[in-house]
Amino acid sequence: MLFRSAVTGRLLDLPLVDLLQTLMRGARPGRVLILGAAERGEVQVRDGRLVGAAHGARQGEDALATLVSTRDGRFEVRFEEGPLNNLSGAPELLLLEALRRRDERQV
């Protein structure tokens, strides 16, 4: 029997930003699948960097900004590479920008 390596949980217990920072430190490829109340999303990490994000019709930084705002949902981390490749830049700056955009929407 072959087991797929995955970690699952609730975003309420482990927010997406914290989860992504942990994955980036590990420098392993990973796909974080998000199942929110309305839509599914995904963020991909490779070699300690954020390489892709998708959420509904949103892609890249727009998708990442929306996903970090998701608090009520579940996640599944699969330790495998995925097809997305629509993010570039320093991962810390990408996360900070996503958090800034989230905070602007809440004001």
Side-chain angles (χ1 to χ4, degrees):
M1 180 182 283
L2 182 65
F3 294 99
R4 184 174 70 196
S5 182
V7 175
T8 61
R10 298 181 323 157
L11 293 170
L12 190 60
D13 298 327
L14 183 59
L16 182 59
V17 171
D18 296 340
L19 178 59
L20 291 174
Q21 288 175 328
T22 301
L23 288 173
M24 289 185 305
R25 278 189 218 106
R28 289 185 59 190
R31 299 172 68 187
V32 181
L33 308 173
I34 306 294
L35 178 57
E39 296 179 342
R40 295 175 183 255
E42 180 172 350
V43 180
Q44 294 179 6
V45 176
R46 188 178 311 124
D47 298 323
R49 302 182 66 81
L50 297 171
V51 295
H55 183 247
R58 293 180 175 92
Q59 297 288 313
E61 290 186 40
D62 288 338
L64 184 62
T66 304
L67 289 168
V68 299
S69 300
T70 305
R71 293 183 179 157
D72 185 27
R74 300 193 62 77
F75 67 83
E76 178 179 324
V77 178
R78 296 181 185 169
F79 298 103
E80 62 189 22
E81 291 198 22
L84 296 177
N85 193 22
N86 54 25
L87 289 173
S88 62
E92 298 83 8
L93 295 179
L94 289 169
L95 287 177
L96 283 173
E97 176 62 16
L99 290 170
R100 182 192 67 77
R101 291 168 70 175
R102 178 196 68 189
D103 292 345
E104 280 183 354
R105 282 195 299 270
Q106 292 178 353
V107 174

